[in-house]
Amino acid sequence: AKPATSPRFHQLHSEDDDAVRAEIERGLRAERPSISPKFLYDELGSHLFAAITQLPEYYPTRCERQIVERYAAEISRHVGPVRSLIDLGAGDCAKAERLFPYLAPAQYVPVDISVEYLRQAVDRLGARYTDMDLVAVGTDFFETLNLPPDVGETERLFFYPGSSIGNLAPDHAAALLQRIRGACDGGGLLIGVDLVKPRALLEPAYDDALGVTAAFNLNTLRHANRIIDADFDVARWTHVAFYNEAQSRIEMHLQAEADLTVTWPRGQRRFARGQRIHTENSYKYWPSTFKAMLERAGFHHVRYWTDDREWFALFSARG
Ligand code: AVI
């Protein structure tokens, strides 16, 4: 039964400000400058990403939704009984909510780096699903998957939709899968994965005609300005996105449109015209490669479903 105190909010981990500043400064000073993709998601960045998911060019969200709508009953049979649904990077919780009628979890555990961002969504869910135990967890699950003791230990299903796994380099993705496997203890994993496809389909999804993805990428510079008190002039940088076929990944960069000097209290960096800051990779997988990765992480009974065009896959695996 649902405890009287649901929903509950746990903030287990938040990075300290100095570490965040140091990480950005290190990336800017590097020979091949980069800013981690996590800095795409300040408040405006999260709204811009939500707008991206509505663009005609950005197919992953729609493909995944089609798979869930079409195969929900089959997926839930494969997944088996679910007591705790643990949603990694839950955001507004909308994707998991679509599964509630099929999986009927007794407990829903949205996990995100910031509980604050989750709070509104979870309060809304609490009013709608009065019998469900809601436990929101603020933790960086790339670092650790220690969950609070009130998260049920049996019949756990981890849910990691949207192909967010694609934003990790394959060795980090494999390490995260292993960590999930270790935490699911007889339960399972439901995970969305974007598939390899021709460049002509991939590139517009990351360089749309309205320029929403460009704004999403460029907003990183504003975010960096706020964090390290730098003076990036966003107007002098442009968004670059291309498919690196050899590595099966979309790369996003920001390119200096003139010789520029960027200054912040503890440092400075010159960028030559045309020089780039790498901001994101988005890996695309062959189904067989991803299945092998899941099996190497210790998962078994791996199955996947795709949309009509076989652009996106939703994998289910037992842990
Ligand atoms: C969140 N992640 C799966 C998105 C992707 O497709 O890699 C982020 C994104 N970057 C540009 N557009 C969307």
Side-chain angles (χ1 to χ4, degrees), residues 40-228:
L40 290 163
Y41 301 95
D42 61 355
E43 197 183 344
L44 176 58
S46 300
H47 285 292
L48 289 168
F49 178 65
I52 286 174
T53 66
Q54 310 226 359
L55 295 171
E57 295 96 330
Y58 193 75
Y59 58 85
T61 315
R62 273 188 305 280
C63 290
E64 191 175 52
R65 194 178 309 142
Q66 186 193 85
I67 299 167
V68 168
E69 278 165 6
R70 186 162 301 170
Y71 299 108
E74 219 177 284
I75 292 167
S76 78
R77 275 198 298 279
H78 187 264
V79 159
V82 177
R83 221 197 81 71
S84 296
L85 178 63
I86 303 169
D87 187 358
L88 300 177
D92 62 5
C93 308
K95 288 180 177 176
E97 193 181 354
R98 261 182 231 117
L99 291 169
F100 288 175
Y102 300 94
L103 302 179
Q107 182 179 61
Y108 173 56
V109 186
V111 180
D112 215 304
I113 185 83
S114 154
V115 179
E116 286 316 309
Y117 188 76
L118 286 178
R119 209 171 271 275
Q120 280 185 3
V122 171
D123 284 339
R124 181 180 56 83
L125 290 178
R128 270 186 96 171
Y129 301 93
T130 48
D131 287 336
M132 203 180 284
D133 183 27
L134 300 171
V135 184
V137 182
T139 190
D140 182 353
F141 56 85
F142 295 117
E143 299 290 323
T144 161
L145 255 179
N146 288 337
L147 293 167
D150 48 350
V151 174
E153 291 192 0
T154 57
E155 296 177 354
R156 285 179 165 184
L157 179 70
F158 283 85
F159 182 46
Y160 195 28
S163 198
S164 293
I165 190 86
N167 297 127
L168 296 176
D171 51 340
H172 287 128
L176 179 61
L177 292 178
Q178 267 175 25
R179 206 171 309 131
I180 296 171
R181 226 293 297 152
C184 81
D185 194 24
L189 169 65
L190 196 57
I191 183 168
V193 181
D194 197 13
L195 301 178
V196 172
K197 62 185 73 62
R199 177 186 303 276
L201 299 171
L202 283 166
E203 286 184 340
Y206 292 84
D207 194 7
D208 59 282
L210 281 181
V212 181
T213 310
F216 174 64
N217 195 9
L218 286 161
N219 179 57
T220 306
L221 298 180
R222 292 220 171 127
H223 194 189
N225 278 348
R226 274 203 316 278
I227 293 174
I228 64 166

